[in-house]
């Protein structure tokens, strides 16, 4: 039952806090531990544009809440004492607080209540979710979602939260953000699961249980997974993979989605190629998102093999190759270095320039660190890996550190996943099955390209760990 209470600012009860811009939740008629529903009262507080303090105790809600008032962009919602104010859903499936305009959501216990952080177009203001605890999540999904429906969340700081039994602790999309110093225990599925991430720091987290510790499922949605740092995390007792970049995440379409060959080209004023006329289905090409797409040549005879060119435009030719697709590329090769028939891969998600460094990964069921058809110029260095428990019948697929160059994995869009120019250096691996591997995996038909430029050096292998299965091919 929702009560309707008119309540004046508690000048006599809380003189230190009753000033413009700061209020207590009681000012809006919400009282802890009284057994009444506080949904309307808390929503009024979130809309006020003020910083709101919550007194110790339990506040019940039965509907979703939101911070949609732009006046709240500098508002902080926080408990007076660490995790002593609990926002609890009275619904079995839980409720969501949609966070758009806010500065901080700090120090709460969320009992079957999830947070969805929305992007704000054109806003670089820091927004933070800190020092919270998430318990009793019955909804079978995420605890914190980073939602890009309007815009990719930017400058988000998810710091020192504790997640207990979440299916996904943090999931979604972010740019120039940080997920740091969190703990996640007894995860049901994946702890940190980023479908898009650009310049995100995932550092110093502590994870136990679950299927994947830190994962990046590559999907055909135009989202970059680039320039991220995964550092100083401790991952224990993960049933499948500790840290994973995976073109086959959740069986979505592939990370690299189009394979073709050159028919002809145009050059710019400097004599460098700026347009490729290509063979293939124009519909597939026009479905590629730019500018996140890149072209990678794969021919062994091509001097530009492995070179990455940014796709800046696309269309269907009305000129010399009428009806055929064309691709505009930036800083293309010299015209003398290209020939008709040269083959290439188009990656519609740029999975590149990521760093996986100084992590501790213990007791994984399949792979401690894996690049599965997704990774260009990745640095894997300084990690300590122990007890991989690699399944014996999958010994050529899983291991300690695995780089899998993938051909023809999925039925749609070709399913090709290049793994090029990655460095595995100065890691320590211990135990049988904790091997370092690089290989080319072809699911159906003949391979269209092979991995190139991957290197391993200065790694320490202990107690039967091995690095002999390394099939990088030029």
């Amino acid at each position: 039952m929702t009560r309707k209470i008119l309540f004046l600012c508690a000048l006599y009860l809380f003189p230190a806090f009753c000033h413009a811009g700061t209020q207590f939740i009681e000012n809006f008629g919400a009282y802890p531990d009284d057994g009444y529903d506080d949904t309307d009262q808390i929503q009024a507080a979130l809309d006020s544009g003020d910083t709101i303090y919550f007194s110790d105790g339990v506040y019940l809600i039965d509907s979703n809440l939101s911070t949609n008032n732009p006046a709240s962009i500098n508002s902080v919602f926080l408990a007076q004492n660490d995790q002593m104010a609990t926002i609890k859903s009275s619904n079995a499936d839980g409720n969501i607080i949609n966070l758009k305009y806010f500065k901080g959501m700090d120090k709460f216990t969320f009992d079957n209540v999830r947070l969805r952080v929305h992007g704000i177009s054109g806003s670089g203001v820091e927004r933070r979710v800190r020092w919270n605890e998430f318990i009793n999540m019955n909804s079978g999904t995420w605890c914190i979602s980073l939602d890009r429906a309007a815009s990719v969340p930017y400058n988000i700081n998810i710091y020192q939260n504790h997640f207990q039994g979440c299916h996904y602790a943090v999931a979604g999309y972010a740019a120039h953000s940080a997920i740091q110093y969190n703990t996640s225990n007894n995860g049901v599925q994946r702890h940190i699961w980023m479908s898009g991430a650009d310049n995100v720091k995932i550092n110093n987290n502590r994870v136990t249980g679950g299927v994947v510790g830190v994962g990046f499922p590559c999907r055909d949605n135009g989202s970059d997974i680039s320039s991220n740092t995964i550092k100083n995390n401790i991952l224990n007792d993960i049933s499948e993979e500790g840290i994973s970049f995976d073109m086959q995440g959740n069986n979505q379409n592939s990370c690299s989605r189009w394979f073709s060959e050159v028919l002809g080209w145009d050059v710019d004023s400097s004599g460098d190629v700026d347009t490729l006329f290509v063979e293939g289905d124009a519909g597939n090409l026009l479905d590629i998102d730019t500018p996140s797409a890149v072209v990678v040549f794969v021919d062994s005879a091509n001097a530009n093999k492995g070179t990455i060119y940014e796709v800046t435009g696309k269309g269907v030719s009305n000129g010399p190759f009428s009806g055929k697709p064309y691709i505009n590329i930036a800083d293309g090769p010299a015209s003398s270095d290209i020939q008709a028939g040269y083959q290439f891969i188009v990656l519609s998600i740029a999975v590149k320039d990521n760093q996986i460094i100084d992590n501790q990964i213990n007791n994984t069921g399949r792979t401690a660190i894996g690049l599965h058809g997704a990774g260009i110029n990745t640095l894997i260095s300084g990690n300590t890996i122990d007890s991989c428990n690699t399944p014996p019948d999958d010994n050529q697929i899983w291991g300690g550190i695995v780089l899998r160059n993938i051909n023809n994995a999925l039925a749609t869009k070709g399913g090709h996943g290049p793994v090029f120019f990655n460095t595995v250096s100065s890691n320590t691996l211990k135990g049988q099955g904790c091997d370092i591997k690089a290989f080319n995996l072809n699911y159906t038909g003949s391979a269209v390209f092979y991995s190139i430029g991957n290197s391993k050096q200065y790694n320490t292998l202990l107690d039967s760990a091995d690095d002999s299965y390394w099939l990088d091919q030029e």
Side-chain angles (χ1 to χ4, degrees), residues 227-243:
S227 302
N228 302 294
T229 302
I230 304 98
K231 182 178 181 181
N232 284 334
N233 301 283
I234 298 177
L235 312 176
N236 293 315
D237 303 325
I238 309 297
S239 66
E240 291 189 3
E241 300 187 75
I243 299 171

Side-chain angles (χ1 to χ4, degrees), residues 366-370 385 388 390 398-402 429 433-436:
R366 288 186 176 178
T367 303
I369 298 174
I385 297 170
C388 296
T390 303
W398 313 113
I401 298 174
V402 175
L429 296 89
C434 284
D435 302 331
I436 298 174

Side-chain angles (χ1 to χ4, degrees), residues 33-111:
D33 297 328
D34 63 357
Y36 288 97
D37 177 69
D38 296 305
T39 304
D40 292 345
Q41 290 74 23
I42 294 176
Q43 184 60 63
L46 299 181
D47 288 337
S48 69
D50 293 332
T51 286
I52 307 297
Y53 283 85
F54 285 68
S55 302
D56 296 354
V58 177
Y59 301 83
L60 299 177
I61 63 173
D62 64 4
S63 299
N64 295 341
L65 300 169
S66 61
T67 61
N68 288 330
N69 182 5
S72 297
I73 190 64
N74 290 312
S75 298
V76 179
F77 310 106
L78 71 165
Q80 282 181 265
N81 300 299
D82 291 353
Q83 290 90 48
M84 296 301 291
T86 297
I87 299 179
K88 181 178 181 178
S89 173
S90 56
N91 296 318
D93 291 335
N95 287 114
I96 298 169
I97 301 178
N98 289 287
L99 296 172
K100 187 174 183 180
Y101 297 104
F102 77 109
K103 186 174 183 179
M105 181 67 77
D106 300 343
K107 299 185 178 181
F108 290 95
T109 293
F110 293 105
D111 188 339

Side-chain angles (χ1 to χ4, degrees), residues 192-226:
I192 300 173
W193 191 244
M194 302 300 295
S195 297
D198 177 28
N199 279 282
V200 176
K201 296 178 180 178
I202 302 177
N203 299 341
N204 297 289
N205 300 286
R206 304 293 181 265
V207 167
T208 302
V211 176
V212 175
V214 179
F216 299 84
C218 305
R219 295 171 175 169
D220 281 342
N221 53 21
S223 296
D224 286 350
I225 299 177
S226 62

